[in-house]
């Protein structure tokens, strides 16, 4: 995406999430609190047929997942179902898609908060001596209310985290998801062993009293109750505007995530029912009366509720209770952050579209987060967490998601007619049958979702949580009607009248064969970076791409970063003017992203740039960064040559340049940079090599041959000399640098082995040398080295 920016610069959004990243987002969203908290309840509804319920649920989810795959690839933007429905269907469908999506994510967050509270208090009972189940603190605070208080506090905490703009990074998300998969993998392995080694284990599935003791009502009721655990593909498309090659990667991520998750769910259900043994201890934990002969495994799991697989793990997994509690807490924490973020993003998008009051559209001027939308969503989440039982919370979220999915399936059918020219990189086959089947299956789930009503109809069950969920849904939908006809409809009409065309004027790159990217952020260093870039562009008959990055927190849609573009335009225009005055082709781009380094790397890959030059202020304050987080990431990740320049502002005229060399392609690049600068400044270039103290004549001869070889690569019009120094490499180069205005040094060979950015010698020189220092790294050298060894001739 791009729009006009003054000074001839374009404005673009940064795409930096890979197929692996978004697949793990989907897997992490599906293997969340749902599978930990709802498996026990669902076993009590379907009995041993829960395994079949999970298989059929995956089949049902697939018919909606294909719709999300096609539309997510065609519309890779934040907003997902809300934007598609609004685009294709007549109002109030678009409004209701957003209204339901907002509430669905908020209610799902309530489920995760309540689950967190339950797991936290159970872990406290497990860890604190003297604290027992059903405790009462200070004579007034029961375990039930302790769980609710913890749930409220964790919602407030994550609302504050989202307001501050902090985020769970992609790497952290992968670690959390990987941890959940490992623990569930251990649960499955030990559970399969416990199941298959138990005498007459098949009887737990076929003779208790039968495979599906509650019949069709039980199977479909369990399906509807756990359907929320299959909606991770909806989170995948919400990240569409940040995905690399979304047309290909979004459909793949949707299908890969389902292929990973469905077998895990089926195996978890199998081992939960087959691995657990009904004894008096487990009966007491469930808080029910009777003897082991009175209860089956699936009935006990149902009574244990959200603690079903936790207690099961306690029987057949070493340290199973704390292990599963830890995994459950990690799952709920991850899901809490994601759903606070997604619920506030939907309401924020509706405020931006004027279908909700403009207060929802407010972005904090410093934090750059939709703070009002976050606060209002947090209030709804807290109210639901306090007021409703966990079963009702789950059922209400499921109803909302099912209704939203019905709209999305119908939208796909409509868009094949209304938007025939969409860039459909993935198309659902056999249209319109898959989305129609999806709609029918969703409607079949909806009435049975309120499972207690169905079970009561056949004389089973007496609870009313399903009725509470249905009433909650009806109240929210009725409130939506009031909001739409009382406010949103009139505002949408006003917005249509006010919209006017926008003229887009862009300055395109000159399309030279060589391009160097110059990220600019600091006015004090931008000019010198541009002068070096100008020298390199002239030397290679190339062009310059000046880049400025506007960052917004993960909680804020990238497109909203346009609000802050004006802050960067003036500096970018001034930077471009330097190149224009030097008669070097230049274009400008303002990139909007969540992280500076990924935006820079995204720009390099998008434009297939040949080099990038970065400014460096000196040694990083943090030990885990060599040069600084953004510089480190770009140097190690850029698919082009990299120059990192530490500028000495006292250097006015460049008369002498030092090029230390130890040979290799990085030294060759350093010589090329020195030559480019010399051609503009007419500076004298010295190529130097350092030998060990007390080096032999042979060492000196080798050194002279090394520097002569590099000198021979320089143009004849460059004034060049050679030096052989003796002593410690870093100390000698640093001492010699005092005689020069600029030192250009290539990455050293040990950098690859030591996993450093440039290698120990260049980094030490860059930190200590006098004058301006330019550290350079040639792209592709490691790959070339590998190809010499492993490529077939």
């Amino acid at each position: 995406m791009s729009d006009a920016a003054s000074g001839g610069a374009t404005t673009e959004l940064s795409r930096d999430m890979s197929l692996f990243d978004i697949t793990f987002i989907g897997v992490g969203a599906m293997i969340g609190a749902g599978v930990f908290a709802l498996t026990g309840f669902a076993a009590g509804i379907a009995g041993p047929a829960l395994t079949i319920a999970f298989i059929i649920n995956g089949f049902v989810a697939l018919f909606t997942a294909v719709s999300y795959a096609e539309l997510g690839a065609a519309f890779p933007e934040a907003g997902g179902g809300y934007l598609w429905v609004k685009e294709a269907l007549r109002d109030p469908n678009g409004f209701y898609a957003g209204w339901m999506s907002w509430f669905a994510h908020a209610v799902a967050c309530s489920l995760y908060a309540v689950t967190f509270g339950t797991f936290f208090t159970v872990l406290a009972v497990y860890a604190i001596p003297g604290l027992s189940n059903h405790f009462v603190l200070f004579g007034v605070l029961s375990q039930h209310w302790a769980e609710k208080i913890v749930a409220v506090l964790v919602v407030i905490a994550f609302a504050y985290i989202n307001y501050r703009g902090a985020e769970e990074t992609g790497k952290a998300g992968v670690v959390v998801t990987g941890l959940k998969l490992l623990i569930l993998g251990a649960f499955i392995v030990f559970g399969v062993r416990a199941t298959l080694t138990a005498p007459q284990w098949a009887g737990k599935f076929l003779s208790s009293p039968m495979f599906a003791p509650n019949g069709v009502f039980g199977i479909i009721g369990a399906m509807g109750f756990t359907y929320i655990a299959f909606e991770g593909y909806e989170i995948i498309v919400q990240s569409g505007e940040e995905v690399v090659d979304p047309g290909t990667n979004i459909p793949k991520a949707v299908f890969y995530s389902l292929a990973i998750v469905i077998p895990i769910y089926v195996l978890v259900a199998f081992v939960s029912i087959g691995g657990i043994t009904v004894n008096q201890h487990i009966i007491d934990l469930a808080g029910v009366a009777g003897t082991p002969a009175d209860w089956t495994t699936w009935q006990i799991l149902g009574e244990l509720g959200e603690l079903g697989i936790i207690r099961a793990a306690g029987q057949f997994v070493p340290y199973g209770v704390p292990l599963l509690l830890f995994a459950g807490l990690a799952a709920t924490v991850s899901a809490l952050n994601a759903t606070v973020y997604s619920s506030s993003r939907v309401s924020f998008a509706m405020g931006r579209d004027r279908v909700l009051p403009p207060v929802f559209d407010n972005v904090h001027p410093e934090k750059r987060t939709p703070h009002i939308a976050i606060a209002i969503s947090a209030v709804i989440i807290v109210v639901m967490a306090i007021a409703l039982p966990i079963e009702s919370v789950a059922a209400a979220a499921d109803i909302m998601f099912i209704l939203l999915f019905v709209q999305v399936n119908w939208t796909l059918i409509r868009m094949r007619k209304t938007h025939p020219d969409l860039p459909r990189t993935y198309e659902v086959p056999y249209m319109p049958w898959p989305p129609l089947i999806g709609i029918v299956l969703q409607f079949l789930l909806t009435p049975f979702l309120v499972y207690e009503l169905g079970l009561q109809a056949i004389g089973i069950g007496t609870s009313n949580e399903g009725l509470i969920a249905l009433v909650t849904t009806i109240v929210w939908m009725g409130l939506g009607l009031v909001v739409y006809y009382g406010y949103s409809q009139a505002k949408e009409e006003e917005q249509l009248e006010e919209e006017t065309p926008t003229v887009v004027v862009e300055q395109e790159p000159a399309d030279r064969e060589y391009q160097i990217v110059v990220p600019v952020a600091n006015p004090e260093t931008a000019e010198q970076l541009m002068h070096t870039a100008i020298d390199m562009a002239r030397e290679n008959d190339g062009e310059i791409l000046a880049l400025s990055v506007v960052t917004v927190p993960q909680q804020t849609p990238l497109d909203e970063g346009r609000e802050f573009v004006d802050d960067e335009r003036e500096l970018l225009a001034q930077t471009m003017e330097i190149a224009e005055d030097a008669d070097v082709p230049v274009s400008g781009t303002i990139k909007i992203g969540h992280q500076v380094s990924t935006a820079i790397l995204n720009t390099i890959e998008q434009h297939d740039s040949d080099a990038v030059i970065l400014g460096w202020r000196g040694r990083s304050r943090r030990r885990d960064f060599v040069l600084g987080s953004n510089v480190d990431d770009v140097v190690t990740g850029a698919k082009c040559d990299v120059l990192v320049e530490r500028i000495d502002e006292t250097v006015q005229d460049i008369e002498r340049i030092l090029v230390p060399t130890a040979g290799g392609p990085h030294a060759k690049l350093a010589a090329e940079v020195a030559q480019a600068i010399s051609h503009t400044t007419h500076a004298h270039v010295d190529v130097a090599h350092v030998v060990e103290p007390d080096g032999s004549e042979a060492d000196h001869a080798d050194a002279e041959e090394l520097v002569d070889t590099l000198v021979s690569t320089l143009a004849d019009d460059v004034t060049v000399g050679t030096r052989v120094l003796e002593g410690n490499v870093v100390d000698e180069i640093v001492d010699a640098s005092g005689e020069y205005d600029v030192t250009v040094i290539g990455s050293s060979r040990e950098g690859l082995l030591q996993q450093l950015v440039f290698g120990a010698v260049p980094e030490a020189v860059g930190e200590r040398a006098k004058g301006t220092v330019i550290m350079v790294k040639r792209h592709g050298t490691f790959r070339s080295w590998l190809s010499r060894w492993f490529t077939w001739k």
Side-chain angles (χ1 to χ4, degrees):
M1 299 179 65
S2 66
D3 64 6
S6 63
T10 63
T11 304
E12 302 175 341
L13 305 183
S14 176
R15 296 187 180 275
D16 46 53
M17 297 182 69
S18 67
L19 172 61
F20 179 82
D21 294 331
I22 57 172
T23 300
F24 258 69
I25 285 176
V27 172
M30 284 188 263
I31 303 184
V35 68
F36 289 93
L38 302 182
T39 298
F41 289 115
I45 300 167
L50 176 60
T51 52
I52 299 299
F54 276 144
I55 293 173
I56 300 175
N57 246 358
F59 181 75
V60 173
L62 183 62
F63 283 98
T64 298
V66 293
S67 298
Y68 271 85
E70 177 174 320
L71 293 173
F75 292 95
E77 302 175 20
Y82 163 59
L83 295 181
W84 309 334
V85 174
K86 183 181 178 183
E87 179 77 15
L89 304 182
R90 297 183 62 180
D91 286 326
N93 281 286
F95 168 82
Y96 259 119
W99 187 252
M100 290 187 297
S101 181
W102 179 26
F103 192 64
H105 286 100
V107 176
C109 192
S110 297
L111 168 65
Y112 305 143
V114 172
T115 303
F116 181 92
T118 301
F119 288 179
F120 185 85
T121 55
V122 172
L123 187 61
V125 169
Y126 187 88
I128 300 175
L131 196 63
S132 61
N133 288 308
H134 312 297
F135 62 81
V136 178
L137 294 178
F138 313 114
V140 292
L141 186 62
S142 67
Q143 184 171 352
H144 170 78
W145 283 108
E147 294 170 359
K148 295 290 187 181
I149 290 173
V150 171
V152 171
L153 292 176
V154 76
V155 170
I156 293 172
F158 277 96
Y160 180 71
I161 288 171
N162 276 262
Y163 156 72
R164 290 292 302 270
E167 61 179 283
E168 180 185 277
T169 65
K171 291 181 180 179
V174 168
V175 169
V176 171
T177 300
L179 176 66
K180 290 185 289 186
L181 290 174
L182 284 175
I183 294 177
L184 284 178
F187 177 78
I188 290 169
V189 169
F190 283 101
V192 168
R193 188 181 70 171
T195 300
L196 299 182
T197 56
Q200 300 179 335
W201 64 268
K204 294 181 180 180
F205 294 91
L206 303 176
S207 306
S208 59
M210 61 184 68
F211 182 66
N214 291 331
V216 173
F217 279 97
I219 293 175
I220 301 183
M223 288 172 58
F225 188 69
T226 58
Y227 196 63
I228 190 175
F230 291 82
E231 57 87 25
Y233 51 81
E234 200 265 345
I235 304 295
I236 290 174
V237 301
Q238 286 281 1
S239 305
E241 68 181 13
E242 301 162 45
V243 177
V244 175
D245 190 13
T248 300
N249 288 335
I250 287 178
K252 285 183 178 180
V254 168
F255 298 129
Y256 290 171
S257 59
L258 284 173
I260 293 170
V261 164
I262 292 172
I264 292 175
Y265 283 178
V266 174
L267 289 170
V268 166
F270 175 78
V271 301
S272 296
I273 294 170
I276 196 172
T277 300
V278 179
N279 53 35
Q280 196 60 47
H281 176 66
I282 203 77
I283 291 174
D284 293 340
L285 287 175
V288 295
T291 66
D294 301 323
W295 294 92
T296 62
T297 56
W298 61 269
Q299 287 174 323
I300 283 295
L301 286 171
E303 294 296 331
L304 289 168
E306 64 269 34
L307 296 175
I309 69 169
I310 306 293
R311 297 305 184 190
Q315 287 197 344
F316 55 74
V317 180
Y319 305 101
V321 171
L323 196 64
L324 266 290
L325 283 173
F326 182 74
L329 287 171
T332 51
V333 164
S334 178
L336 272 164
N337 192 45
T339 47
V340 169
Y341 156 67
S342 56
S343 64
S344 60
R345 175 175 277 203
V346 173
S347 60
F348 171 75
M350 295 178 73
R352 179 183 56 196
D353 293 341
R354 299 191 183 183
V355 296
L356 287 180
V359 67
F360 285 88
D361 188 28
N362 285 354
V363 175
H364 195 278
E366 295 181 5
K367 305 301 180 184
R368 298 186 178 182
T369 54
H371 56 299
I372 303 297
I374 291 171
I376 295 174
S377 293
V379 170
I380 295 174
I381 294 166
V382 166
V383 170
M384 296 290 290
I386 294 175
L388 299 184
I390 189 171
E391 303 98 309
S392 299
V393 172
D398 280 317
I399 293 173
M400 288 296 177
F401 277 121
I402 285 174
L403 294 176
L404 175 62
F405 294 162
V406 167
Q407 285 186 308
V408 170
N409 281 317
W410 183 244
T411 293
L412 178 67
I413 296 172
R414 287 286 300 158
M415 279 195 170
R416 284 293 183 95
K417 296 181 179 180
T418 60
H419 296 67
D421 298 326
L422 275 179
R424 292 180 171 89
T425 52
Y426 167 79
E427 291 189 359
V428 176
Y430 308 113
M431 282 289 290
W433 294 112
L436 283 176
I437 294 172
I439 291 172
V440 171
L441 293 175
Q442 307 283 352
F443 275 125
L444 287 176
L445 281 182
T446 304
F448 290 102
L449 180 62
V450 190
Y451 65 92
E452 291 91 348
L453 300 181
L455 295 182
Q456 288 174 25
I458 60 173
I460 302 173
T462 58
S463 59
N464 60 355
E465 283 82 1
L467 180 61
I468 294 173
L470 185 60
V471 170
T472 301
T473 302
I474 292 172
V475 169
W476 183 256
M477 299 294 279
L479 181 60
L481 281 175
V482 173
V483 172
Y484 179 77
Y485 288 106
Y487 176 84
S488 306
Q489 188 179 41
K491 291 298 181 182
E492 283 186 323
E493 292 173 356
E494 289 178 12
Q495 186 177 18
L496 288 174
E497 294 174 359
E498 294 173 2
E499 287 181 348
T500 56
T502 300
V503 179
V504 177
V505 180
E506 300 180 355
Q507 179 175 328
E508 297 292 343
D511 199 24
R512 299 288 180 90
E513 290 188 3
Y514 181 90
Q515 183 189 78
I516 182 168
V517 177
V518 185
V520 293
N522 185 354
E524 297 177 358
T525 60
E527 182 175 358
Q528 181 57 50
L529 291 177
M530 283 299 291
H531 284 308
T532 304
I534 289 169
D535 294 341
M536 291 295 293
R538 282 176 172 165
E539 188 72 14
N540 295 279
D541 190 25
E543 63 184 356
I544 295 173
L545 175 60
L547 170 66
S548 181
V549 179
V550 173
T551 57
V552 293
Q554 190 73 30
Q555 290 75 8
T556 304
L558 286 180
D559 197 56
E560 292 305 309
R562 299 181 189 276
E563 180 180 339
F564 306 100
V565 163
D566 288 340
D567 298 338
E568 307 296 328
R569 285 178 174 170
E570 183 177 354
L571 174 60
L572 191 63
Q574 293 173 354
T575 302
M576 293 171 63
E577 188 176 344
I578 297 171
E580 291 168 353
D581 291 342
D583 199 26
V584 171
V586 63
S587 59
T589 293
I590 300 176
K591 204 79 164 183
I592 303 172
H594 295 307
Q595 191 174 10
V596 172
S597 59
T598 50
I600 296 173
L601 293 172
N602 178 252
T603 302
I604 293 168
E605 185 170 357
Q606 176 186 343
H607 293 271
D608 195 21
S609 304
D610 299 278
V612 60
I613 181 167
L614 305 166
W616 179 45
R617 292 178 295 182
R619 175 62 57 182
S620 171
R621 296 178 181 178
R622 289 182 54 177
R623 293 182 179 179
D624 51 338
F625 299 131
V626 179
L627 304 177
S629 59
N630 291 318
V631 179
D632 284 7
D633 291 342
V634 175
V635 172
T636 55
K639 297 179 180 179
C640 67
D641 295 342
V642 180
L643 290 72
V644 175
E645 184 167 358
R646 194 209 71 193
I647 297 170
D648 185 345
E649 297 178 2
T650 64
V651 175
Q652 300 298 320
D653 299 314
I654 300 176
E655 298 179 353
R656 302 191 68 193
I657 302 172
L658 175 65
V659 182
T661 180
H666 304 300
K668 177 68 165 54
L669 177 59
E672 292 172 9
V673 173
Q675 175 175 287
I677 298 173
S678 177
H679 276 157
T680 299
T681 62
H682 306 292
H684 174 86
V685 177
D686 275 338
V687 178
H689 179 72
V690 182
V691 299
E692 293 293 329
D694 302 322
S696 65
E697 291 185 7
D699 292 334
H700 281 264
D702 290 342
E704 290 173 359
E705 182 179 356
L706 186 66
V707 295
D708 287 342
T709 299
L710 190 59
V711 166
S712 67
T713 66
L714 297 175
D716 293 338
D717 58 352
V718 176
T719 304
V720 61
T722 62
R723 296 182 66 175
V724 175
L725 307 174
E726 186 172 321
N728 177 271
V729 176
V730 174
D731 292 340
E732 289 300 318
I733 296 174
V734 170
D735 289 343
S737 69
E739 306 170 26
Y740 297 86
D741 303 299
V742 176
T743 300
V744 187
I745 184 169
S747 177
S748 56
R749 298 171 185 173
E750 80 274 14
L752 287 173
L753 301 177
Q754 296 181 0
Q755 296 297 301
L756 300 176
V757 177
F758 283 101
V761 171
E763 287 154 11
V765 171
E767 174 67 22
R768 295 169 50 192
K770 281 73 171 180
T772 293
V773 179
I774 304 176
M775 294 176 284
V776 302
K777 183 179 181 183
R778 177 78 81 186
H779 174 58
T781 53
F782 185 52
R783 182 183 302 173
S784 300
W785 178 82
L786 286 177
S787 67
R788 289 199 299 269
W789 285 90
F790 298 111
T791 301
W792 289 98
K793 301 294 184 184

